[in-house]
Amino acid sequence: DIQLTQSPSSLSASVGDRVTITCRASQSISSYLNWYQQKPGKAPNLLIYAASSLQGGVPSRFSGTRSGTDFTLTISSLHPEDFATYYCQQSYSSPLTFGQGTKVEIK
Amino acid sequence: EVQLVESGGGLVLPGGSLRLSCEASGITLSSYAMSWVRQAPGKGLEWVSTISNGGTGTDYADAVKGRFTISRDNSKNTLALQMNSLRTEDTAVYYCAKDWKGGIAVAGTRFDLWGQGILVTVSS
């Protein structure tokens, strides 16, 4: 199975901060990497697909990049509604796997 | 409004069975592959199973293979998950999730619509 390791597991940030979350795959997954946002008690919401494509309706402050097996989700300027947990997910091979999550908290 | 709504969850004894359903409104599911993804209390997301748009292709996580069966009824716009031989470690919120494409192939799968989730508790 392909393992996805997210870092950090949690972070504290302020409104307006630039936030970066990393997801490292245990092997090459090409660009088959998606990012989701999940708020407490709610279902996940797709933000980025294929490493860097913005899902329709998602604000442009969210962006994704790939460098080899390292993937990055960046929030350019944190808004109050962005405090949530973020997950990466690979769709290169079965079984589909998710990272363990990164919780973004208010400083 | 486009939405997926799960039902059928609840409390069940270890070794018991439960059947989850997912009903779609505002969207026709027959064009899309569908999946179940679960989340144990306080834990991360775990993929459970996927079915192709026509229902002929299925895939399961090793943890549920042989115990869970995914199915769909495109005429009723619904998805189901039959869960047998339930274990305490199956306790989780179960989400149905829509893929953007129809086939069973994993490559490029992304979940662009999710249900609100339904809690399944396996406990004596």
Side-chain angles (χ1 to χ4, degrees):
Chain A
D1 298 2
I2 295 173
Q3 294 186 350
L4 299 177
T5 303
Q6 289 183 230
S7 59
S9 295
S10 64
L11 64 90
S12 296
S14 300
V15 172
D17 284 355
R18 181 182 183 89
V19 168
T20 298
I21 299 168
T22 297
C23 176
R24 174 167 290 175
S26 59
Q27 65 181 76
S28 175
I29 58 171
S30 186
S31 292
Y32 292 115
L33 192 285
N34 306 316
W35 290 96
Y36 300 86
Q37 176 193 68
Q38 186 180 35
K39 296 180 180 179
K42 300 295 186 181
N45 182 50
L46 179 65
L47 300 175
I48 301 286
Y49 64 92
S52 60
S53 295
L54 192 67
Q55 174 70 1
V58 174
S60 59
R61 61 180 180 273
F62 291 94
S63 64
T65 60
R66 171 200 173 194
S67 177
T69 58
D70 290 342
F71 299 82
T72 299
L73 173 70
T74 299
I75 309 172
S76 60
S77 179
L78 205 60
H79 284 208
E81 61 267 31
D82 299 338
F83 291 96
T85 300
Y86 295 85
Y87 292 94
C88 56
Q89 173 242 322
Q90 66 82 18
S91 59
Y92 180 80
S93 66
S94 182
L96 297 172
T97 51
F98 292 85
Q100 82 278 14
T102 295
K103 188 173 184 178
V104 177
E105 299 176 301
I106 302 173
K107 182 183 286 184
Chain B
E1 181 186 6
V2 176
Q3 62 177 357
L4 302 172
V5 178
E6 300 96 339
S7 60
L11 174 65
V12 61
L13 293 172
S17 297
L18 211 56
R19 183 177 179 88
L20 304 183
S21 294
C22 172
E23 184 170 358
S25 57
I27 188 170
T28 300
L29 293 186
S30 60
S31 298
Y32 307 103
M34 295 294 295
S35 295
W36 290 96
V37 175
R38 68 185 180 183
Q39 187 168 36
K43 303 297 185 182
L45 300 168
E46 180 186 19
W47 169 77
V48 173
S49 181
T50 295
I51 187 166
S52 62
N53 58 328
T56 56
T58 58
D59 194 11
Y60 297 91
D62 285 346
V64 307
K65 200 171 292 183
R67 300 187 299 123
F68 290 11
T69 302
I70 191 170
S71 62
R72 65 192 298 160
D73 185 339
N74 286 338
S75 67
K76 296 181 178 178
N77 221 21
T78 59
L79 173 73
L81 185 68
Q82 177 66 41
M83 304 185 293
N84 299 331
S85 304
L86 282 161
R87 305 167 180 168
T88 55
E89 55 264 35
D90 295 319
T91 294
V93 172
Y94 284 72
Y95 297 99
C96 61
K98 168 192 161 295
D99 194 354
W100 76 282
K101 58 176 178 54
I104 192 65
V106 171
T109 293
R110 61 184 187 254
F111 302 124
D112 61 2
L113 181 66
W114 297 65
Q116 85 286 355
I118 190 85
L119 177 62
V120 172
T121 303
V122 185
S123 175
S124 54

